[in-house]
Amino acid sequence: MFHRILIANRGEIALRIQRACKDLGIETVAVYSEADRDSLHLRYADHTVCIGRAPSAESYLNIPSIIAAAEITDADAIHPGYGFLSENEHFAEVCQSCNIKFIGPAASAIKECGDKVAAKRLALAADVPTVPGSDGPITSEQEALEVARQIGFPVLIKAAAGGGGRGMRIAHNEPSLVTGYHSARSEAETAFKDSTVYLEKFVEKPRHVEIQIMADQHGNVVHLGERDCSLQRRHQKLLEESPCPVLDPETRQAMGEAAVRLAKTANYFSAGTVEFLLDQDKNFYFIEINSRIQVEHPVTEMVTNTDLIREMILVAAGHRLSMSQEDISLSGHAIEFRINAEDPDRNFQPSPGLIEKFVAPAGPGVRWDSHIYQGYRVPPHYDSMVGKLIVHRPTRKEAIAVAMRALQELTTEGITTTAGLFQQILQHSDFAAGEVDTGFIDRYFSPR
Ligand code: MV4
């Protein structure tokens, strides 16, 4: 087993990984930027190393600094968390060549998942349903028009290096397809230095349902049910829940098995997420694989009674999965609320600053994953998430009731958060009925 793990991240996930390390009896190294000197994850770490200035590019994305920190402190593994270097195949390779275990999938798997066209080919090879479309890169206006005539409008033009909605264009007719083809390519070239695009039929009002998988280095793969992440604003998830309120057991099993087939075809190990679109007729289509632990992993931990970070560490050390598919069952309903330091009444403008008064939510059915405390100053340099409230109860209705109570308990004076918005959402009749698709927030909660 590892002796000492360096956590190449900040905020709540740095703390979450540190807790898993402590529970396993593994020492931790916290790295931090100059803006994070007062961060909670430093206080509990066995070793701390400053890796650079406030901007991420000079600290949490600075590969030489992070590797040097691992070498100085004699860490034998690095957990990247989510964001930052977590899906950087080059970083995974550098770790390997420095004899430091990267706690995540193989660099080759990160690369394959990062290329949406390659990932879609994998899905086709694994007999996993995909959205009708080009099944490969589109290289000319002519080709785009031919595919669109075959599958019918509306279509989506997507960047192969994209994900999270960047470099995406919708086209309802041939002229807008030609325009969209060129603008998607140039946006992708600017954003990713890769102008490769592909084409898909546009699925109307889909739900975003993703399957959590976990795999070891001995070929064992399990799925841990789904998360419904349909409640998003501009491709930013606001809340996630498990199970999906509208998924029947047969579809759940079919999606789970599809995700496992895909992971096996890719020789994937570690934690991963297979994203699907669920259409209004309950058909599911593969869209992307995320080769990292995700922000929303706690909802899966709550309903499956597992510790995914612990499992990731064990699997990276070469252990076999601690569970088989038969051991995994879903119990109750969990919802996660991303508490962001943002003002929903000012177009979600960031609201960093000093937290003058803080009280954490607690009590039955409540989990609070956060790095903030009274007197902490939320720095303006990073993403605005200051905590995750996770509720878990036997039924969705009870989970919503506990969430209302917990959101009222949460006190963060000095900064504005999204907690108030969630109280409004929870009272919406469509949400209570589980009737949300990816357009819900823009329909009801965005200023026009
Ligand atoms: C789609 C789609 C409809 N049809 N693909 C957005 C980000 C990326 N992960 C995939 N996305 C979508 N792909 C087809 N063929 C609609 C979306 C989409 C979306 C997906 C999940 C959650 C929120 C969304 C908001 C807008 C569009």
Side-chain angles (χ1 to χ4, degrees):
M1 182 37 61
F2 304 124
H3 170 62
R4 191 174 290 148
I5 293 177
L6 182 145
I7 301 158
N9 216 302
R10 63 178 302 281
E12 71 83 21
I13 193 65
L15 209 50
R16 170 70 188 87
I17 296 163
Q18 194 162 76
R19 287 171 171 149
C21 293
K22 298 249 162 184
D23 293 348
L24 281 165
I26 299 170
E27 286 186 24
T28 61
V29 180
V31 296
Y32 63 100
S33 75
E34 286 177 5
D36 277 339
R37 287 192 185 286
D38 298 323
S39 233
L40 206 52
H41 73 283
L42 305 187
R43 214 169 297 186
Y44 302 137
D46 297 296
H47 305 271
T48 62
V49 183
C50 183
I51 50 167
R53 296 170 60 86
S56 310
E58 296 176 41
S59 48
Y60 299 106
L61 292 171
N62 185 339
I63 295 177
S65 272
I66 291 168
I67 296 290
E71 289 185 331
I72 290 163
T73 55
D74 203 20
D76 40 18
I78 297 182
H79 198 306
Y82 50 69
F84 295 129
L85 297 170
S86 59
E87 289 167 291
N88 185 317
E89 77 215 48
H90 171 64
F91 180 59
E93 257 166 21
V94 172
C95 289
Q96 196 187 358
S97 65
C98 294
N99 228 348
I100 301 165
K101 266 278 185 313
F102 175 82
I103 303 179
S108 56
I110 296 175
K111 182 177 173 154
E112 202 159 26
C113 297
D115 178 347
K116 313 297 158 194
V117 169
K120 201 168 173 180
R121 286 212 182 96
L122 264 175
L124 287 164
D127 208 18
V128 171
T130 57
V131 189
S134 59
D135 300 341
I138 292 270
T139 55
S140 70
E141 281 178 18
Q142 227 34 53
E143 196 182 354
L145 289 165
E146 277 164 33
V147 174
R149 279 170 198 146
Q150 254 169 38
I151 62 178
F153 286 96
V155 298
L156 264 185
I157 308 139
K158 293 183 169 183
R166 291 166 304 170
M168 237 170 58
R169 292 286 185 286
I170 186 168
H172 290 276
N173 50 48
E174 297 197 354
S176 70
L177 175 57
V178 171
T179 316
Y181 168 72
H182 292 291
S183 65
R185 279 178 74 92
S186 68
E187 186 178 316
E189 179 61 39
T190 307
F192 318 115
K193 297 193 186 86
D194 177 0
S195 63
T196 312
V197 297
Y198 61 108
L199 210 69
E200 277 183 358
K201 177 87 181 172
F202 179 66
V203 181
E204 312 258 3
K205 290 195 175 180
R207 295 179 81 113
H208 170 128
V209 180
E210 58 187 31
I211 301 284
Q212 176 71 52
I213 57 158
M214 185 64 76
D216 65 22
Q217 300 187 55
H218 308 276
N220 303 298
V221 186
V222 296
H223 63 87
L224 296 110
E226 78 281 9
R227 294 183 289 259
D228 188 322
C229 309
S230 299
L231 212 77
Q232 307 194 0
R233 179 187 169 269
R234 301 195 180 162
H235 304 293
Q236 294 295 318
K237 293 168 184 167
L238 294 174
L239 69 79
E240 306 92 358
E241 56 185 311
S242 183
C244 165
V246 302
L247 206 63
D248 54 74
E250 294 73 34
T251 312
R252 169 174 303 117
Q253 190 176 341
M255 288 175 84
E257 286 171 2
V260 169
R261 280 201 305 281
L262 185 47
K264 286 188 170 166
T265 304
N267 290 318
Y268 192 94
F269 62 83
S270 191
T273 298
V274 183
E275 288 186 13
F276 295 95
L277 295 177
L278 188 68
D279 75 9
Q280 292 176 315
D281 301 322
K282 309 284 156 74
N283 301 303
F284 63 87
Y285 309 94
F286 165 84
I287 49 169
E288 292 174 20
I289 324 176
N290 298 318
S291 60
R292 62 173 188 277
I293 190 73
Q294 289 188 268
V295 174
E296 59 269 30
H297 75 275
V299 296
T300 299
E301 293 187 324
M302 299 317 287
V303 297
T304 59
N305 190 29
T306 55
D307 183 334
L308 295 173
I309 307 284
R310 177 190 182 95
E311 201 70 23
M312 263 183 107
I313 294 170
L314 294 173
V315 157
H319 290 216
R320 291 178 178 275
L321 285 182
S322 71
M323 56 211 155
S324 63
Q325 194 63 57
E326 299 76 60
D327 301 329
I328 298 163
S329 60
L330 304 187
S331 167
H333 197 97
I335 313 176
E336 174 183 275
F337 301 83
R338 297 190 185 195
I339 309 298
N340 290 350
E342 292 172 358
D343 188 348
D345 292 333
R346 291 198 171 81
N347 202 28
F348 293 85
Q349 175 189 303
S351 169
L354 180 67
I355 300 176
E356 289 153 8
K357 196 168 170 212
F358 172 68
V359 183
V366 174
R367 169 173 168 183
W368 173 245
D369 280 18
S370 169
H371 59 293
I372 68 171
Y373 55 88
Q374 189 156 309
Y376 175 67
R377 189 176 285 279
V378 179
H381 311 280
Y382 311 105
D383 84 35
S384 58
M385 197 173 74
V386 293
K388 307 187 300 203
L389 166 66
I390 304 104
V391 296
H392 183 218
R393 292 276 85 182
T395 65
R396 185 170 188 271
K397 197 167 172 213
E398 291 164 284
I400 289 173
V402 164
M404 260 327 254
R405 182 256 293 168
L407 287 164
Q408 285 160 4
E409 283 181 23
L410 171 64
T411 305
T412 55
E413 283 176 22
I415 60 168
T416 304
T417 74
T418 46
L421 171 74
F422 287 129
Q423 294 182 46
Q424 287 178 274
I425 291 171
L426 289 177
Q427 290 172 57
H428 198 286
S429 58
D430 284 0
F431 184 80
E435 298 287 328
V436 284
D437 60 63
T438 50
F440 179 84
I441 288 296
D442 286 333
R443 270 202 304 286
Y444 297 117
F445 292 99
S446 284
R448 339 167 175 264

